[in-house]
């Protein structure tokens, strides 16, 4: 299993690199395509659009396929999208290629999380999913800084060519090391759609949108915050981005075992800690040392939200978790876009560069409120006379054991 999880983590590393490396290469991309910085920034939105649309769409189309084949197929489409970015001659074709590259993002993570949990068994699901997501966190430590440097030295397309090669390596690793997995669930679309409408699944997705939006309200504006409020140089910002990735990695290592032992309490603590860290960030950002320390903690508690919410959605979807698992990544990308937008509103309203942190704290509190409400509703439903829905008893039992 370690090599199988490593193959999934390599795929996650490629996805994390391509999603964030373009942020460090916007000047080079704009100059190379002959467009403004703002127009180059729309390429980030193009990728996010692909993620939001592709996660449910591709998952629905692949409901009857074996999970291993699905993982190879999604990573292959990701490789094609990045290769198209390398070869695209115009801004319009690069835009289209970024949408294509984003399409399998959420679907791959959704299927990969289910595969990791299935290989690990009920008692170690959190650890397995967290290890897969390590690829995403390491991408922020190594992939994004190295990709940015490579793109600056050899042209921005070189970064995406390397991502394409890593995606191919991930495909080979999945083909060789991931075992043939029996599909959990019916393999039909309608049960997946009905599971997506489950109240607990919807509340889990909503908690992800609000809670993780708090992270990106700050992360989207971390560069001007560090230079103008903390007094750091441009080179210092690169260090801060790496520190955020280190925090994410630490968070992923800690949260997996905690989620296996007590799922809902882990969610509550992570969201509560996130709100506190964001509130304090409005003060600590004015000193370079306290700002850097806060960024590490922000990365840790922010990523501490993702794995337990992923597990919650998967478990509450019962016998049809595939679409819900993928939709969770659409929720996180909506959080990315929404957090950046709301943080920008605070700056535009003249509230200052530290205002996104205060806005993020409010969003995290809202996410915590939704998560706590979902927990109360779930306890009430379990205490009631109604029996669990057919096919979901095992998942509900596992969830109850972790919550108690």
């Amino acid at each position: 299993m370690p090599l199988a999880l490593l193959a999934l983590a390599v795929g996650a590393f490629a996805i994390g690199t391509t999603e964030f490396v373009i942020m460090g290469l916007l000047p080079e991309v704009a100059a190379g395509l002959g467009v403004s910085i703002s127009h180059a920034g729309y390429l980030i939105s193009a990728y996010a659009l692909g993620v939001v649309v592709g996660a449910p769409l591709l998952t629905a189309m692949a409901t009857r396929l074996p999970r291993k084949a699905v993982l190879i197929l999604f990573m292959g489409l990701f490789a094609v999208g990045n290769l198209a970015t390398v070869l695209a001659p115009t801004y319009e074709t690069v835009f289209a290629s970024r949408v294509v590259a984003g399409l399998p993002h959420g679907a791959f993570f959704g299927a990969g999380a289910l595969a990791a949990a299935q290989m690990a068994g009920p008692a170690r699901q959190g650890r397995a999913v967290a290890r897969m997501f390590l690829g995403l966190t390491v991408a922020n430590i190594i992939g994004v800084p190295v990709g940015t440097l490579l793109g600056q030295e050899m042209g921005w397309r070189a970064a995406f060519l390397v991502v394409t090669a890593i995606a191919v390596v991930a495909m080979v690793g999945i083909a060789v090391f991931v075992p043939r997995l029996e599909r959990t669930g019916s393999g039909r679309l309608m049960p997946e759609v009905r599971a997506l409408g489950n109240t607990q699944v919807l509340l889990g997705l909503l908690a992800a949108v609000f809670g993780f939006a708090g992270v990106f309200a700050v992360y989207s504006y971390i560069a001007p915050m560090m230079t103008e409020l903390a007094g750091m140089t441009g080179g210092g910002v690169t260090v801060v981005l790496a520190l955020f990735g280190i925090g994410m990695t630490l968070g992923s290592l800690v949260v997996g075992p905690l989620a296996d032992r007590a799922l809902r309490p882990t969610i509550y603590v992570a969201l509560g800690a996130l709100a506190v860290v964001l509130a304090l960030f409005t003060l600590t950002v004015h000193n370079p040392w306290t700002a850097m320390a806060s960024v590490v903690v922000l990365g840790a508690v922010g990523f501490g939200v993702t794995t337990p919410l992923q597990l919650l959605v998967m478990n509450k979807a019962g016998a049809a978790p595939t679409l819900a698992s993928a939709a969770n990544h659409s929720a996180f990308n909506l959080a990315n876009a929404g957090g950046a937008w709301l943080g920008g509103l605070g700056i535009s309203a003249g509230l200052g560069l530290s205002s996104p942190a205060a806005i993020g704290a409010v969003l995290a509190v809202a996410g915590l409120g939704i998560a706590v409400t979902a927990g109360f509703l779930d306890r009430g439903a379990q205490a009631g006379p109604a029996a669990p829905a057919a096919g979901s008893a095992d998942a509900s039992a596992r969830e109850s054991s972790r919550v108690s």
Side-chain angles (χ1 to χ4, degrees):
M1 187 180 69
L3 289 176
L5 289 177
L6 178 61
L8 295 175
V10 171
F13 177 87
I15 289 175
T17 300
T18 204
E19 181 177 17
F20 295 112
V21 73
I22 194 170
M23 297 176 184
L25 293 173
L26 278 186
E28 288 76 16
V29 172
L33 295 175
V35 297
S36 66
I37 290 287
S38 61
H39 273 73
Y42 295 152
L43 298 175
I44 300 173
S45 301
Y47 185 89
L49 174 64
V51 177
V52 172
V53 173
L57 179 63
L58 291 183
T59 301
M61 293 172 63
T63 50
R64 293 184 179 273
L65 296 177
R67 187 151 289 142
K68 179 175 179 177
V70 164
L71 288 167
I72 296 172
L73 178 65
F74 290 161
M75 188 49 54
L77 179 58
F78 174 79
V80 169
N82 280 278
L83 183 60
T85 299
V86 176
L87 301 176
T90 65
Y91 173 81
E92 290 76 16
T93 53
V94 171
F95 188 98
S97 74
R98 298 316 294 155
V99 174
V100 172
L103 287 174
H105 174 127
F108 178 84
F109 274 117
L114 288 169
Q118 190 175 349
M119 289 187 290
R124 299 180 65 86
Q125 288 182 348
R127 293 173 178 85
V129 174
R131 286 178 182 175
M132 175 196 168
F133 284 173
L134 268 177
L136 183 62
T137 68
V138 173
N140 282 273
I141 302 173
I142 300 173
V144 173
V146 172
T148 299
L149 183 62
L150 179 67
Q152 291 170 343
E153 295 296 325
M154 302 182 64
W156 65 269
R157 296 178 192 269
F160 296 99
L161 183 60
V162 171
V163 168
T164 303
I166 297 172
V168 172
V169 170
M171 288 176 63
V172 173
I174 293 168
V176 173
F177 297 116
V178 174
R180 182 180 177 86
L181 299 169
E182 293 184 10
R183 174 165 285 282
T184 54
S186 65
R188 298 192 304 272
L189 178 58
M190 287 314 298
E192 297 284 347
V193 174
R194 285 194 292 270
L196 194 60
N198 179 287
T199 300
Q200 287 296 320
V201 172
L202 290 175
L203 288 174
L205 296 175
L206 198 59
V209 171
F210 277 89
F212 209 65
V215 177
F216 269 82
V218 169
Y219 189 70
S220 301
Y221 304 98
I222 197 71
M225 282 183 175
M226 293 298 106
T227 55
E228 297 189 32
L229 297 181
M232 301 178 70
T233 63
V237 173
T238 304
V239 174
V240 168
L241 295 177
L243 289 174
F244 183 80
I246 291 171
M248 291 173 67
T249 303
L250 294 174
S252 69
L253 291 172
V254 171
V255 78
L258 293 177
D260 282 331
R261 298 179 65 179
L263 183 54
R264 284 200 190 272
T266 301
I267 293 172
Y268 302 155
V269 170
L271 286 170
L274 178 60
V276 171
V277 171
L278 287 168
L280 291 176
F281 197 73
T282 60
L283 304 175
T284 60
V285 72
H286 297 281
N287 178 280
W289 297 106
T290 57
M292 287 190 291
S294 298
V295 166
V296 175
V297 179
L298 176 62
V301 297
F303 200 80
V305 172
T306 59
T307 296
L309 283 175
Q310 180 79 40
L311 286 173
L312 178 69
V313 168
M314 286 162 50
N315 288 338
K316 288 304 177 182
T322 309
L323 187 57
S325 180
N328 199 46
H329 292 278
S330 292
F332 282 125
N333 272 268
L334 286 174
N336 295 356
W341 176 65
L342 290 171
L345 284 182
I347 296 173
S348 299
L351 300 178
L353 272 175
S354 64
S355 62
I359 293 169
V362 174
L363 290 169
V365 169
L368 175 60
I370 294 167
V372 171
T373 300
F376 277 120
L377 291 176
D378 198 30
R379 285 185 178 275
Q382 291 179 17
S392 64
D394 292 342
S396 297
R398 292 194 302 270
E399 165 66 7
S400 299
S401 69
R402 278 196 290 268
V403 172
S404 59

